[in-house]
Each structure stands twice: as C-alpha cells, then as structure tokens.
C-alpha cells in the first residue's frame, strides 16, 4: 500500500532478513493477492536495488542512463518472472511442503546461468562470486541486479537458514523467523500485525 507517495519498504524498511526475500516481498498487498507491485518500472527497480544495497549510487546512475526503454523493460520482465518463481519456491518451503520439481528445475537453471555470468574473486577476508566486468568500460551490465539476486538465492537455499523461512499470516510476505518458539506471525507489526490486532478487537467486541 502506498503511504505518503512512498511504498512500505521506502518508509518502514525491509523485513525479510535476506536480499532475495526482500525482493520477493516487493508487493504492498493487504492480503494474499500480490497485486500492488512496488517496483512498477525500471526507475523503481533501481531505487529499490539501491535501498537494498544490491547496487550503489554510481551503478544505479549507469544502469539508468545506458539502456533504451525496450531493453530495460525486457530485463524487468525477466526479474518479475524470477520474483514469481522465487515466491512459489520459498512460500512452499515456508509451508513445510516439497517444492514442485518443475519450479526447482527452473530455479536451478537460473542459478547455473548466474554463476556462468560471474567470476570467483578473493577479497582480504574471503572468496566471493562477482558479476563479470563488461568488455567495454562499464563494470556492470543490464543483468547485474538479476545475477546478484540469484547468487544470493543459492546461498539461502543451500544453508539451514532456509528452514527458518516463514510467511506472514496476513499477506504474502516471507521472512526469516529467528524468534523462539512460534516466533513471528506477521511481516511487520506496524502493518499486518496492527491490522490483525484491530480485526481481533472488533471481532471480540
């Protein structure tokens, strides 16, 4: 839901606990509809990616200026397909069910592609996969955001952290539930949590 011409992630921050979950959560629906897309265009994607530390300011400026609208729209559509696939997979995991084999296969293809677009490099503290440098002057390209998101997805899937994924009791938001016992029920107390409290109060009355 838009508040003061801002989306919830702009005003209240992220709640997923992981970059790819925050990407999946780019809907401000009041229920399970996933209708209000909070990255409706390329500029919105770049704004979100900066806020999520997927890209920095310089990279955002380069991605904004370097490509025609058709190219950015094609990439945005691929990101939307990735987001839909990611939600199907991780929502199923949150429900404690087995992931559909076709979804898992599709995600596997995405991960293999992302690694093919990346290079293993060493920093002072550890090794990490980074997107290929462009053969021209740019250090990024149109697929950079998608590659980085997919690489983070593989890290999430291949760790025990994936067992902590939960889905909000009100909307489709996914998050890492690190609480004791049952832990969190809502994406945010300021949104779905408060709505649930109000509903319970009115029902009791």
């Amino acid at each position: 839901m838009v508040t003061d011409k801002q989306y919830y992630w702009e005003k209240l921050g992220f709640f997923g606990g992981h970059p790819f979950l925050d990407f999946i959560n780019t809907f401000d629906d009041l229920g399970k509809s996933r209708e209000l897309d909070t990255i409706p265009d390329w500029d919105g994607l770049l704004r979100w990616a900066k806020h999520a530390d997927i890209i920095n300011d310089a990279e955002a400026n380069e991605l904004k200026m370097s490509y025609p609208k058709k190219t950015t729209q094609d990439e945005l559509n691929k990101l939307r397909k990735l987001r839909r696939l990611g939600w199907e997979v991780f929502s199923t995991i949150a429900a404690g069910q087995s992931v559909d084999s076709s979804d898992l296969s599709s995600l596997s293809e995405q991960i293999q592609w992302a690694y093919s677009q990346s290079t293993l490099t060493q920093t002072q503290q550890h090794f990490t996969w980074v997107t290929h440098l462009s053969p021209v002057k740019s250090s990024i390209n149109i697929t950079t955001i998608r590659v980085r998101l997919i690489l983070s997805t593989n890290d999430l899937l291949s760790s025990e952290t994936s067992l902590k994924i939960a889905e909000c009791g009100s909307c489709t938001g996914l998050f890492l539930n690190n609480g004791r016992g049952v832990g969190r029920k809502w994406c945010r107390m300021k949104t779905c949590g408060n709505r649930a409290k109000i509903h319970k109060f009115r029902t009791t009355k």
Side-chain angles (χ1 to χ4, degrees):
M1 181 176 186
V2 179
T3 306
D4 297 332
K5 296 183 178 180
Q6 287 185 313
Y7 295 113
Y8 282 144
W9 62 259
E10 293 179 284
K11 188 170 184 178
L12 302 177
F14 300 121
F15 62 83
H18 187 276
F20 193 72
L21 296 183
D22 289 327
F23 175 61
I24 289 174
N25 294 335
T26 48
F27 284 91
D28 280 353
D29 54 335
L30 298 178
K32 299 293 184 178
S33 62
R34 292 183 70 80
E35 291 180 350
L36 184 51
D37 191 346
T38 66
I39 49 172
D41 51 35
W42 187 248
D43 286 345
L45 170 70
L46 298 182
R47 194 166 71 249
W48 175 86
K50 281 198 305 179
H51 201 81
D53 292 327
I54 304 297
I55 56 175
N56 58 37
D57 289 340
E59 291 172 328
N61 289 335
E62 187 168 338
L63 287 171
K64 186 174 183 178
M65 301 296 294
S66 301
Y67 300 96
K69 185 174 181 179
K70 184 182 185 305
T71 303
T72 57
Q73 187 60 47
D74 287 345
E75 179 61 20
L76 187 60
N77 288 338
K78 291 177 181 178
L79 279 159
R80 286 171 175 159
K81 290 180 180 178
L82 171 65
R83 182 177 57 182
R84 183 168 59 250
L85 173 63
W87 186 81
E88 292 289 347
V89 169
F90 287 105
S91 177
T92 300
I93 292 174
Q97 300 174 356
S98 297
V99 177
D100 182 85
S101 59
S102 62
D103 287 341
L104 198 58
S105 177
S106 296
L107 189 56
S108 175
E109 291 177 2
Q110 294 271 3
I111 292 171
Q112 291 177 55
W113 169 80
Y115 276 109
S116 75
Q117 303 299 306
S118 308
T119 303
L120 183 64
T121 61
Q122 183 177 7
T123 65
Q124 292 181 344
Q125 298 178 331
H126 60 280
F127 290 88
T128 185
W129 289 89
V130 298
T131 49
H132 285 321
L133 301 183
S134 168
V136 196
K137 63 177 182 177
S138 173
S139 62
I140 61 172
N141 60 54
I142 192 70
T143 65
T144 293
I145 294 174
R146 184 156 51 101
V147 169
R148 291 176 181 174
L149 283 169
I150 295 172
L151 292 178
S152 75
T153 308
N154 186 51
D155 291 339
L156 180 58
L157 274 173
S158 57
S159 70
E160 292 185 0
T161 305
S162 63
L163 301 176
K164 298 180 180 180
I165 297 174
E167 184 170 331
C168 177
S170 179
C171 72
T172 62
L174 297 173
F175 55 88
L176 295 180
N177 187 355
N178 294 311
R180 296 180 179 178
V182 177
R184 288 167 58 185
K185 293 182 179 180
W186 320 110
C187 55
R188 299 185 185 94
M189 283 308 300
K190 289 185 177 180
T191 53
C192 287
N194 280 342
R195 285 196 292 269
K197 284 185 176 181
I198 292 172
H199 176 73
K200 183 177 180 180
F201 174 76
R202 290 176 176 171
T203 302
T204 304
K205 293 285 289 186

